[in-house]
Amino acid sequence: MMPMSVTLHSGDLSIPEIVEYARRAEALGYDGCWVTEESGKDAFAVLALLARETSRLRLGPAIASIYSRTPTLLAMAAATLDQVSGGRAFLGLGTGGPGFVERGHGLPIARPVARMRETAVIIRRLLTGERMTHEGHFFQVREFRLRERPPRADLPIFFATMNPQTTRLAGELADGAIFNFLTPAHLAREVRGQLQEGAARSGRDPGRIQVATLAVAAAEPDSESAWNAVRRTVAFYLASRHYFHLFEAEGYGDLATKVRDAWEAGAMDQATAMVPDGIVGHLTLSGSREKVRRQLEAYRDAGIYPIVYPIFRRGRAATDLHAAIEWIAAIAP
């Protein structure tokens, strides 16, 4: 099976269900499990448990917010997870959604690109185990090192990116970039060039930067109820100002504005109905097995690493998450 990971919102399943989901993914041949951190469970606590319950999966948060945790705490958490997992850890960084950061933490999402840069620089230096000083705009670290030398100074760091500035920064500093709804056409038209621009700043080989996408997936092929659940998820993302550039780059900017207006007015069902079948199919792993297999082949050929994100129907979280990763694994090239 082509390299792929799975993800889930940790608040959607119980701890035993999350463990079973990760074990099943590993048995099916997926090579990673990326755990979100928003209003659910603490990501690193869950990941540490999964490290003990699996033997092969790469494990990390997708994503840990650069606002809710300091760089020092992020470096400590990543190094600890790497130790517990025997070198299978990675670190996914991003701003976090407005609901989590602004409403949940009461923090403004201010100067995100500059904060991401400073956070990543501090983390990378702390992971060397050497004593360091950093006098920055957001953080001042003075003559400090981690008490325990981290297992790997080169632990992979991914940036979640939703705009050209962060994509260029990922090219400059990160080991990988995580997108939402990335298509091969968008990658070729815009993203590759931005990663190359960033890599040129630091003299890096852009070919070494892994490009990953959150791949929204239906619970069942050819199922109307599963398709409609995915449509609502697409509408939710279209309605978010946070993700506007991603849809504008795909040519869906006008639709995103209309869906957002309806969603913010409280007409969620109307907003969902606005999303055409063609756009749902274009952006997600939903529909017939043949169609989804072609999408996975296109991902593989373009060098896009899918992070399968199953969408479940009401009251069927565990069942639908398992069903989605099973049927996708069965058809993956």
Side-chain angles (χ1 to χ4, degrees):
M1 184 172 77
M2 62 181 283
M4 292 191 294
S5 283
V6 300
T7 189
L8 77 159
H9 286 286
S10 62
D12 292 337
L13 298 179
S14 68
I15 290 292
E17 288 171 335
I18 292 173
V19 170
E20 182 57 30
Y21 177 69
R23 285 174 171 169
R24 184 59 182 148
E26 185 170 68
L28 288 167
Y30 291 91
D31 67 10
C33 184
W34 306 50
V35 175
T36 65
E37 183 168 73
E38 11 67 70
S39 56
K41 299 172 181 64
D42 176 90
F44 286 102
V46 172
L47 289 161
L49 175 62
L50 296 184
R52 292 302 180 95
E53 297 290 340
T54 61
S55 60
R56 185 179 51 78
L57 291 177
R58 293 196 301 161
L59 298 166
I63 48 82
S65 173
I66 60 174
Y67 290 92
S68 61
R69 296 176 187 263
T70 66
T72 299
L73 187 59
L74 286 164
M76 290 166 58
T80 302
L81 179 61
D82 208 34
Q83 185 174 5
V84 172
S85 67
R88 291 183 282 141
F90 63 86
L91 180 60
L93 300 174
T95 60
F100 178 64
V101 177
E102 295 180 343
R103 297 200 304 273
H105 289 273
L107 300 171
I109 299 179
R111 300 186 62 190
V113 178
R115 191 180 182 101
M116 180 75 89
R117 173 185 292 279
E118 200 167 315
T119 297
V121 166
I122 294 171
I123 291 171
R124 184 60 75 199
R125 292 184 66 187
L126 287 172
L127 289 177
T128 68
E130 303 299 327
R131 191 175 300 277
M132 61 156 295
T133 293
H134 177 92
E135 295 288 347
H137 178 81
F138 303 99
F139 305 103
Q140 290 76 45
V141 182
R142 298 184 180 92
E143 287 297 311
F144 182 80
R145 65 177 175 85
L146 299 182
R147 184 183 184 93
E148 214 175 5
R149 180 175 287 273
R152 286 188 293 167
D154 61 349
L155 183 147
I157 297 177
F158 288 76
F159 291 176
T161 175
M162 290 169 289
N163 57 64
Q165 293 87 352
T166 311
T167 302
R168 293 186 186 97
L169 187 66
E172 181 181 353
L173 297 178
D175 300 289
I178 311 169
F179 297 83
N180 288 54
F181 302 107
L182 181 66
T183 63
H186 184 191
L187 174 65
R189 183 175 59 248
E190 177 179 298
V191 168
R192 281 287 184 210
Q194 292 164 357
L195 290 172
Q196 289 167 359
E197 287 177 41
R201 295 174 185 168
S202 53
R204 306 173 69 212
D205 176 4
R208 298 178 63 87
I209 302 165
Q210 186 170 27
V211 177
T213 187
L214 199 68
V216 167
E220 298 175 0
D222 305 311
S223 165
E224 183 177 359
S225 62
W227 180 276
N228 286 334
V230 170
R231 187 196 310 276
R232 191 171 184 88
T233 298
V234 174
F236 169 80
Y237 280 98
L238 279 164
S240 172
R241 299 173 187 272
H242 209 47
Y243 296 94
F244 180 78
H245 176 77
L246 300 175
F247 295 109
E248 185 179 43
E250 287 288 346
Y252 304 141
D254 289 344
L255 175 65
T257 300
K258 293 175 184 176
V259 170
R260 182 178 68 232
D261 289 345
W263 194 280
E264 291 180 350
M268 283 78 161
D269 290 342
Q270 178 186 342
T272 300
M274 290 180 181
V275 186
D277 285 351
I279 291 178
V280 176
H282 179 61
L283 294 176
T284 70
L285 300 178
S286 54
S288 71
R289 292 175 183 268
E290 293 76 17
K291 175 259 187 188
V292 172
R293 182 179 175 85
R294 289 195 301 270
Q295 283 177 288
L296 292 172
E297 289 172 342
Y299 282 152
R300 179 199 61 194
D301 295 345
I304 297 174
Y305 178 83
I307 306 167
V308 177
Y309 170 28
I311 303 302
F312 61 87
R313 292 159 288 190
R314 187 182 300 275
R316 299 183 55 166
T319 301
D320 278 359
L321 264 64
H322 279 262
I325 65 172
E326 285 171 3
W327 79 263
I328 289 175
I331 65 167

